Amino acid sequence: MRRTRRTAEDARQIILAAAVELFVHDGYGATSLDDIAGKVGMTRQAALYHFRTKEDLLRNVVDPYLNDLTRTLDTVPVSDRPTADEQRAMLAALVDVLAAHRGVVSLLSRFTTATTIAGLGPRVAGLTTRIQSLLVGSALATDPAVRTRAHATTAALIGVISARAEIPLDDRHQRHVLVEAAAAILASAH
């Protein structure tokens, strides 16, 4: 029987997938490089060939999501006082990105914005504030009720995306239901 060799990129992708699974299941702090390497049938040294440190591995796990999220935020047009339709468009685009990176979103939901690991805290906090600003405009800074609804909306989205109980967000109808629920939170004072 002939063995096939993994390409370096195949090995990286296998390690990344195992890292997401273990980081989400056991937590980042409780997961070692040995655990990840063992899960994919490699040695620690082989994993270190692809990722210099556990923190480097974490950055490689979360960067594709954070980059996709940033690209999405850059492309969804909204005004300073977003209309309900603009909010729904923003929420739909956001839910699509969150659902596509569900494991990473679940992992990041366990970190505080004060964390210094891989520079994640400030980066995630900045993106969250940007999402909230796009959803409600400049009122985020001046109206406590609007700020509360914006925070409740993002918290609800992250909570549903990272829920342990599987909600089938690969179904477009279920994503629409989530968008409408989030839009209802934003509109609750109107």
Side-chain angles (χ1 to χ4, degrees):
M1 179 184 271
R2 186 174 179 193
R3 282 184 73 187
T4 58
R5 290 183 54 98
R6 294 179 183 154
T7 67
E9 185 56 29
D10 289 343
R12 284 178 61 81
Q13 293 307 314
I14 290 167
I15 294 167
L16 288 169
V20 169
E21 183 181 332
L22 290 172
F23 288 163
V24 169
H25 185 267
D26 300 334
Y28 174 78
T31 302
S32 70
L33 279 174
D34 288 326
D35 296 332
I36 296 164
K39 182 160 182 68
V40 299
M42 291 182 180
T43 64
R44 175 185 173 89
Q45 286 66 36
L48 285 169
Y49 171 80
H50 297 283
F51 303 98
R52 295 182 321 270
T53 63
K54 183 172 139 182
E55 193 169 303
D56 180 42
L57 177 56
L58 178 63
R59 267 192 296 281
N60 278 272
V61 163
V62 301
D63 278 351
Y65 160 66
L66 296 176
N67 293 337
D68 282 353
L69 180 58
T70 299
R71 271 191 299 280
T72 297
L73 299 179
D74 289 344
T75 60
V76 177
V78 292
S79 58
D80 181 47
R81 292 187 176 274
T83 65
D85 287 341
E86 288 175 323
Q87 287 174 331
R88 277 187 176 77
M90 175 67 196
L91 288 167
L94 183 59
V95 166
D96 285 346
V97 172
L98 295 172
H101 296 277
R102 198 169 194 173
V104 175
V105 172
S106 181
L107 169 64
L108 286 174
S109 72
R110 298 174 182 203
F111 287 90
T112 69
T113 55
T115 190
T116 58
I117 299 169
L120 288 178
R123 192 168 175 202
V124 170
L127 285 169
T128 301
T129 299
R130 187 165 173 218
I131 290 166
Q132 293 167 350
S133 294
L134 288 169
L135 287 171
V136 299
S138 60
L140 182 69
T142 59
D143 185 333
V146 169
R147 186 171 38 257
T148 299
R149 285 194 305 279
H151 281 277
T153 301
T154 54
L157 288 174
I158 299 303
V160 170
I161 295 292
S162 59
R164 294 273 181 181
E166 188 62 29
I167 298 169
L169 293 175
D170 54 333
D171 176 353
R172 180 131 316 266
H173 174 72
Q174 287 302 111
R175 287 197 304 269
H176 176 74
V177 169
L178 181 55
V179 167
E180 289 303 312
I185 294 170
L186 286 173
S188 62
H190 294 124

